[in-house]
Amino acid sequence: MDKLQAMATFVSIVDRGSLTRAAESLSVSLPSVVRTLGALERDVGVRLLNRTTRRLHLTDEGTLYLSQCRAILSAVRDADAALAARRVEPQGRLGVTAPVLFGRRYVVPIVTRFLAEHPAVTAETLLLDRVVSLVEEGLDVGVRIGALADSSLVAIAVGELRRVVVASPAWLKRNGVPKTPETLRRMPCVVFGGLAPAAEWRFKASRRPLAVPVAARFASNQVDAAIIACESGLGPGMFLSYQVADAVAAGRLRHVLAAFEREPVPVSVIYPQAKLRSGTVRAFVDLAVAALRESRFA
């Protein structure tokens, strides 16, 4: 017995509502469908369908097995489609989204490299510091920083980012290096709205979460503006590590309170399940995952 074919026959019987219509849709004889169903039930050791002269009824075991068969058959189709897609030269439009600074620094270079390798592809990048619905925006691939809430998307982990507090050397010289998060309580700080919109910074102390309210001397929804204010000595700021990597490397900012950082934030390449069948999307995802995993997120 061909197990996958038997599963497909079982699903067809349920979907068509009768053995006869299943036989017609599969272009096989009715006796063949009856034999296949019987062989499948003997193989799994339970009755899947209760059959009368007029109707078919799923048993409890049949209902459970039906959902598993659908998932298995779908996975097989997707696997076949993914292999077929690799044999087709990428072409057409590719829509990619990512956070603004992360996109400029890491994603756009991958897109331009992909276009250089595949002349038949055109690309559009949408760089926004907010969660974007790929389906609603007509996009193919995204890079998401943070937990993935939409279960309809496929997510491939490519790295992690730290939430860091930084301050300028001049500010540290005037105020001293903070020893604990409580030092910042109600202290004038630089607040980047894309990371801490409630002006409350969260840490971990003794493995327990700790929320510290801060007073915003300078606040902005643009990370570049917040970093400039922080470098100018207006106060400490909380950012994702990659956002201040250049400033830290150049000595314009310094990390503080590293021992109190929360768990890193995941970075993932995401795409809708249906896009797996596109050779262009599959090829770009493969390139993006490999390139981002090689990148060093500071």
Side-chain angles (χ1 to χ4, degrees):
M1 178 185 65
D2 184 329
K3 192 66 170 284
L4 284 177
Q5 183 58 47
M7 288 181 175
T9 299
F10 171 53
V11 171
S12 181
I13 293 170
V14 175
D15 289 344
R16 300 304 188 279
S18 80
L19 298 169
T20 301
R21 285 194 289 271
E24 293 173 351
S25 69
L26 296 170
S27 299
V28 297
S29 67
L30 177 59
S32 176
V33 169
V34 173
R35 286 194 300 270
T36 299
L37 178 60
L40 181 61
E41 289 181 324
R42 288 192 298 274
D43 185 70
V44 297
V46 295
R47 179 175 288 277
L48 301 173
L49 289 167
N50 287 321
R51 302 181 284 281
T52 66
T53 55
R54 292 186 177 182
R55 298 190 62 184
L56 298 173
H57 298 279
L58 282 166
T59 63
D60 290 342
E61 293 83 359
T63 300
L64 175 62
Y65 195 61
L66 177 66
S67 65
Q68 295 169 335
C69 287
R70 291 193 192 279
I72 291 169
L73 293 171
S74 176
V76 170
R77 287 192 296 270
D78 287 342
D80 290 344
L83 289 177
R86 291 178 185 273
R87 297 194 295 268
V88 178
E89 174 64 22
Q91 57 185 317
R93 174 190 174 276
L94 177 71
V96 182
T97 185
V100 177
L101 187 58
F102 192 93
R104 291 203 305 259
R105 178 170 297 179
Y106 298 107
V107 179
V108 170
I110 298 172
V111 173
T112 57
R113 173 182 165 187
F114 187 74
L115 294 181
E117 295 176 357
H118 304 288
V121 177
T122 60
E124 177 183 349
T125 59
L126 183 63
L127 304 182
L128 294 170
D129 286 324
R130 63 175 174 82
V131 175
V132 175
S133 169
L134 301 188
V135 175
E136 291 179 5
E137 298 287 348
L139 298 166
D140 301 298
V141 183
V143 175
R144 180 72 50 83
I145 297 175
L148 184 69
D150 190 343
S151 60
S152 68
L153 298 175
V154 178
I156 303 176
V158 294
E160 294 179 328
L161 293 167
R162 296 161 54 201
R163 301 179 182 90
V164 299
V165 176
V166 293
S168 69
W171 186 90
L172 292 171
K173 185 176 181 179
R174 291 195 309 269
N175 297 276
V177 178
K179 301 299 182 183
T180 66
E182 285 84 353
T183 308
L184 304 177
R185 188 176 294 272
R186 301 300 180 189
M187 177 179 288
C189 295
V190 173
V191 175
F192 167 46
L195 190 63
E200 181 182 80
W201 293 353
R202 297 185 179 184
F203 301 88
K204 178 172 281 191
S206 301
R207 299 184 179 181
R208 300 180 63 182
L210 173 65
V212 177
V214 296
R217 186 178 183 195
F218 180 93
S220 178
N221 68 332
Q222 293 294 317
V223 65
D224 291 341
I227 292 172
I228 291 172
C230 205
E231 292 176 351
S232 300
L234 293 182
M238 178 176 281
F239 304 92
L240 292 174
S241 50
Y242 82 93
Q243 294 171 332
V244 293
D246 291 345
V248 170
R252 299 191 301 273
L253 293 174
R254 287 158 59 180
H255 288 123
V256 297
L257 300 173
F260 298 92
E261 291 175 9
R262 295 159 61 194
E263 296 81 1
V265 180
V267 181
S268 306
V269 173
I270 60 174
Y271 58 94
Q273 179 70 35
K275 296 291 185 178
L276 183 67
R277 295 182 174 87
S278 165
T280 301
V281 172
R282 181 74 268 173
F284 180 77
V285 167
D286 288 346
L287 175 62
V289 168
L292 290 173
R293 283 177 175 171
E294 291 176 359
S295 300
R296 295 183 178 181
F297 305 142

